[in-house]
Amino acid sequence: MDITTTTCPRCHKIVDKQAITCPHCHLQLKAYGHPGISLHRATGEEFLCDSCTYHADDSCNFPQRPYAKECTLYQNTQESELELQQLREANSFSNTVKNWIRRNQSLLLLLALLLICLIIAILQL
Ligand code: SF4
Ligand SMILES: [Zn+2]
């Protein structure tokens, strides 16, 4: 499976990410016949809202809330949390500095040697 494919939630066969319906079991995968609008479905007994970010932050005003079994706007709270955490880590200043030091170790070593040479030269004057 590559980045352009995914698995069908019903028959678990590989399907194109843009597919509006599953070519194998004909399950509807996108809403309104548009390849850009994913249609999320609850797989078990639970409602989608139970694990949705917009239910957790009380910003959803869809009439089917909190009993949605299908929803186009559903966003998994755990995935959002993970994305947020990755974004935070990527943006953290200390991380940037650490990465820069790791990438430029030889340059820093050279600068340190130059500094030591400079100090020795000044002391001998
Ligand atoms: S966006 Fe959909 S899944 Fe999320 S709380 Fe609203 S109705 Fe429920
Ligand atoms: Zn299918």
Side-chain angles (χ1 to χ4, degrees):
M1 190 164 61
D2 58 46
I3 53 163
T4 60
T5 57
T6 183
T7 49
C8 169
R10 185 199 279 161
C11 69
H12 306 291
K13 289 188 178 155
I14 294 172
V15 291
D16 192 298
K17 265 192 181 163
Q18 302 281 304
I20 291 162
T21 54
C22 172
H24 312 287
C25 70
H26 306 291
L27 176 73
Q28 189 188 351
L29 300 170
K30 305 287 179 188
Y32 312 114
H34 194 289
I37 308 174
S38 296
L39 184 63
H40 302 274
R41 276 199 184 79
T43 45
E45 290 296 301
E46 290 205 341
F47 298 106
L48 281 177
C49 307
D50 296 337
S51 58
C52 179
T53 307
Y54 306 118
H55 181 56
D57 68 12
D58 203 20
S59 62
C60 172
N61 52 14
F62 272 17
Q64 67 264 40
R65 180 189 173 207
Y67 304 117
K69 283 280 193 181
E70 288 185 351
C71 187
T72 52
L73 269 187
Y74 170 74
Q75 175 136 35
N76 186 288
T77 37
Q78 283 177 346
E79 279 171 25
S80 313
E81 197 60 38
L82 199 72
E83 277 169 24
L84 216 64
Q85 199 180 330
Q86 284 169 345
L87 204 68
R88 257 188 240 126
E89 279 173 17
N91 287 342
S92 88
F93 179 69
S94 69
N95 232 44
T96 313
V97 172
K98 271 188 222 156
N99 284 338
W100 189 87
I101 291 172
R102 212 176 298 140
R103 279 199 306 269
N104 297 285
Q105 268 177 345
S106 50
L107 178 72
L108 287 171
L109 198 67
L110 195 69
L111 283 176
L113 281 173
L114 276 175
L115 193 69
I116 292 168
C117 290
L118 199 69
I119 291 170
I120 292 170
I122 289 171
L123 289 176
Q124 285 176 345
L125 283 179

